[in-house]
Amino acid sequence: MSYSHILFEVDAGGIALITVNRPEKLNALSGAVIADLHQAFERIAGERDIRAAILTGAGEKAFVAGADIQELAALSSLEAREFARCGQQVFRMLETSHKPSVAAVNGFALGGGLELAMACTVRFAAENARLGQPEVKLGIIPGYGGTQRLPRLVGRGRALEMLLAGDPVTAAEAWRIGLVNAVVPQAELLNYSRAWLGKALANAPAALGLVMEAVDVGLNAGIEEGLRFEATAFAVSAATDDGREGTRAFLEKRKPAFAGK
Ligand code: COA
C-alpha cells in the first residue's frame, strides 16, 4: 500500500505509526490526506497483526493545523456537507476500530487536527502543543466532530468556552481540563506513547476491544443501554480463552499467557 501524504510503518509489536506528512502546510488535512487516512484506518481495523496505532505530525511544529483552508474556501454548501460527513466517517472508523490509538500531539492541533486527536483513544501532548477549535474565527464551525467530542471530553462549559472564543489552550491547560492525558517533552513523546500502548497491549485484545466498545455505547446511548451492553460484553469476555486463562493464571499465582482468542 502506498500513500502520498502520510507515512505508515508497523513495528514488530504491531503498533502502526501514522505520520501526517505535509510539514510545509503544518500537516493540514487536505482531501488527499483524508483519503490516505481512510486507507490507513481500514488497515488498522481490518488487519489482525496491527494491534494499535499512534498518530502524529511530521516536523516539530504541528500535529495537524486543521482542515486545509485553501480547499475549504472553494466548497459549495453541499460540497461542504459531503466534506464534513466524509471526514467524520473516516475519524469514526478509527474510533470504533476496537484497537487503542494514541494521538501524539507534537505541536499545533487546531480545528480538524484537534478533532483527529479527539477521535483517538488517548492523547499525549508535547510541551509546545497548542490545541483549539478556531473555526469560528473563520466564520465556520467544526465539521469533523469537534462540537460532539470536545464536550464529551472536557464538559459542556469548557467546550463552549473553547468553541465560541476559538482560542487555543496550552498543553498544560489541556491536561488540566482533561483534554490530553499527559504532557511530556517533545523528544519523549513517541516513546511515552509506545510505553502506554505496551501496557495496554499486554492485556487480552478482545478485552481491550470490548472495553472500548462499551465506553462508546454508554457515552453515546446513555446508561441503561450502556449497562446492558456491558453485561453482554462481560459475558463474551468471560467466555473467551483469554478470559479463562487470565482468571486461572491469577488463581494459580502465575502470569497469564494471552493468545488473542
Ligand atoms: N490549511 C492550509 N494551510 C495551512 C493551514 C491550514 N489549516 N495551517 C497552516 N497552513 C499553511 C500556511 O498557509 C503556510 O503556508 P505558506 O507558507 O504557503 O503561506 C504554512 O502552512 C505555515 O503556516 P504559517 O501560518 O506561516 O505558520 P505560523 O507559525 O505563522 O502560524 C498557525 C501557525 C497554526 C497559528 C497558523 O498557520 C494558523 O492559524 N493556521 C490555521 C489554523 C486554523 O484555523 N485551523 C482550522 C482550519 S478549519
Side-chain angles (χ1 to χ4, degrees), residues 7-147:
L7 307 173
F8 188 107
E9 327 155 38
V10 184
D11 71 15
I15 298 175
L17 176 63
I18 301 173
T19 308
V20 179
N21 191 25
R22 284 183 86 202
E24 72 291 353
K25 293 290 178 190
L26 303 187
N27 304 317
L29 299 175
S30 60
V33 176
I34 293 286
D36 278 357
L37 290 175
H38 185 183
Q39 303 286 333
F41 296 166
E42 258 179 5
R43 281 190 65 185
I44 288 163
E47 289 184 24
R48 193 182 156 84
D49 291 346
I50 299 180
R51 297 195 58 205
I54 299 174
L55 270 93
T56 195
E60 295 189 346
K61 190 168 169 185
F63 173 72
V64 167
D68 190 312
I69 299 172
Q70 187 106 37
E71 288 185 6
L72 272 185
L75 298 179
S76 71
S77 181
L78 287 178
E79 285 167 344
R81 186 173 191 278
E82 184 55 31
F83 168 97
R85 288 302 287 158
C86 172
Q88 288 174 356
Q89 283 159 9
V90 170
F91 289 10
R92 186 80 177 131
M93 190 183 288
L94 176 71
E95 188 173 47
T96 57
S97 70
H98 292 188
K99 298 182 183 172
S101 54
V102 172
V105 181
N106 58 316
F108 289 112
L110 301 175
L114 179 53
E115 290 169 307
L116 176 60
M118 290 192 294
C120 292
T121 316
V122 296
R123 285 144 294 285
F124 300 132
E127 287 159 343
N128 65 314
R130 296 288 179 275
L131 303 93
Q133 298 286 168
E135 287 87 347
V136 287
K137 291 178 189 273
L138 300 171
I140 56 176
I141 77 162
Y144 287 167
T147 64

Side-chain angles (χ1 to χ4, degrees), residues 127-215:
E127 287 159 343
N128 65 314
R130 296 288 179 275
L131 303 93
Q133 298 286 168
E135 287 87 347
V136 287
K137 291 178 189 273
L138 300 171
I140 56 176
I141 77 162
Y144 287 167
T147 64
Q148 301 306 302
R149 292 193 181 93
L150 190 57
R152 282 170 170 76
L153 274 170
V154 303
R156 178 183 176 132
R158 287 205 168 98
L160 282 167
E161 186 182 358
M162 288 178 68
L163 288 160
L164 295 181
D167 290 332
V169 294
T170 61
E173 177 68 358
W175 178 78
R176 198 182 69 78
I177 65 177
L179 182 53
V180 301
N181 300 66
V183 181
V184 298
Q186 179 156 103
E188 291 168 29
L189 188 58
L190 289 184
N191 281 343
Y192 190 92
S193 303
R194 287 197 179 92
W196 179 77
L197 281 174
K199 283 190 216 170
L201 296 180
N203 302 314
L208 300 183
L210 289 168
V211 164
M212 292 171 67
E213 197 173 351
V215 169

